[in-house]
Amino acid sequence: MKVILCLDDKNGMMFHRRRQSRDREVIKDIEMMCENKLLWINGFSIGLFENTKIKIQCDEDFLIKAGLGEYCMVEDQRIGDYEEKIEEVICYRWNRRYPADFSLDVDLSQWQCIGTEEWKGYSHDKITKERYKKVDKDENKEC
């Protein structure tokens, strides 16, 4: 599976059971990336994709049920227990530090950065998209 995350500068994901932020340009990018592909989510994320054409599968056990090559939007769940199943991690970074009481539980320095893009978001001056794959020994891990 391919995991999609939105993170602040300290890998924070949530604060008081709420997402730290949202940006409509990120949703548009996810819509383009998932075109004609399935996007797994849980009930927490359903509101992000109400007005999109993305093929959504909403299930509270989505990290268990998602298959090879399928996308998963993760906002309020730990992914460390599923790390062996994850083929790719796609991070949208807010390039800000928000208060966070729920953070990413996977060390991305152990993954290989395979690309970055930056653009102006709707609510953020800069959004950075990073893509990671599992590291083979002796490969560069830096973005």
Side-chain angles (χ1 to χ4, degrees), residues 1-3 60-66 72 74 77-89 105-106 111 134:
M1 73 180 148
K2 299 177 182 186
V3 172
E60 295 308 309
D61 293 324
F62 71 107
L63 290 170
I64 295 168
K65 295 179 179 180
C72 294
V74 180
Q77 304 222 351
R78 302 202 180 284
I79 62 171
D81 290 344
Y82 306 96
E83 194 166 355
E84 288 299 316
K85 188 178 174 181
I86 299 171
E87 307 158 66
E88 185 175 348
V89 177
D105 65 333
V106 169
W111 290 65
K134 290 184 180 176

Side-chain angles (χ1 to χ4, degrees), residues 20-21 37-38 44-45 53 56 63 67 69 81 83-84 90 95 101 105-106 108 112 114 117 120 124 126 129 133 137:
Q20 293 175 330
S21 188
K37 296 180 181 101
L38 186 62
F44 183 81
S45 300
K53 296 177 183 176
I56 297 290
L63 290 170
D81 290 344
E83 194 166 355
E84 288 299 316
I90 300 117
N95 297 297
D101 56 13
D105 65 333
V106 169
L108 290 177
Q112 180 186 12
I114 57 172
E117 298 174 49
K120 182 173 177 25
H124 294 76
K126 181 172 81 167
K129 179 180 179 181
K133 70 173 188 171
K137 288 185 178 180

Side-chain angles (χ1 to χ4, degrees), residues 10-143:
K10 296 178 83 177
N11 291 330
M13 297 169 66
M14 297 185 71
F15 181 64
H16 290 300
R17 298 295 305 155
R18 296 182 315 194
R19 66 182 56 91
Q20 293 175 330
S21 188
R22 67 190 285 176
D23 188 286
R24 65 178 74 162
E25 296 302 317
V26 168
I27 301 305
K28 285 180 188 176
D29 191 68
I30 293 170
E31 186 172 18
M32 288 187 312
M33 184 172 56
C34 294
E35 186 177 30
N36 299 318
K37 296 180 181 101
L38 186 62
L39 175 64
W40 287 86
I41 61 173
N42 63 3
F44 183 81
S45 300
I46 196 88
L48 292 175
F49 302 102
E50 287 177 330
N51 297 315
T52 69
K53 296 177 183 176
I54 300 173
K55 183 178 165 184
I56 297 290
Q57 180 67 46
C58 185
D59 193 300
E60 295 308 309
D61 293 324
F62 71 107
L63 290 170
I64 295 168
K65 295 179 179 180
L68 188 65
E70 293 180 325
Y71 290 92
C72 294
M73 178 71 186
V74 180
E75 294 190 278
D76 65 343
Q77 304 222 351
R78 302 202 180 284
I79 62 171
D81 290 344
Y82 306 96
E83 194 166 355
E84 288 299 316
K85 188 178 174 181
I86 299 171
E87 307 158 66
E88 185 175 348
V89 177
I90 300 117
C91 298
Y92 293 93
R93 295 211 181 256
W94 302 128
N95 297 297
R96 292 184 185 168
R97 287 187 180 181
Y98 289 114
D101 56 13
F102 185 81
S103 297
L104 179 63
D105 65 333
V106 169
D107 181 2
L108 290 177
S109 72
Q110 302 303 307
W111 290 65
Q112 180 186 12
C113 183
I114 57 172
T116 62
E117 298 174 49
E118 291 183 351
W119 68 88
K120 182 173 177 25
Y122 180 81
S123 59
H124 294 76
D125 291 335
K126 181 172 81 167
I127 302 286
T128 303
K129 179 180 179 181
E130 301 170 346
R131 297 180 78 117
Y132 295 88
K133 70 173 188 171
K134 290 184 180 176
V135 172
D136 293 326
K137 288 185 178 180
D138 301 320
E139 286 191 73
N140 179 15
K141 298 176 192 172
E142 301 284 325
C143 269

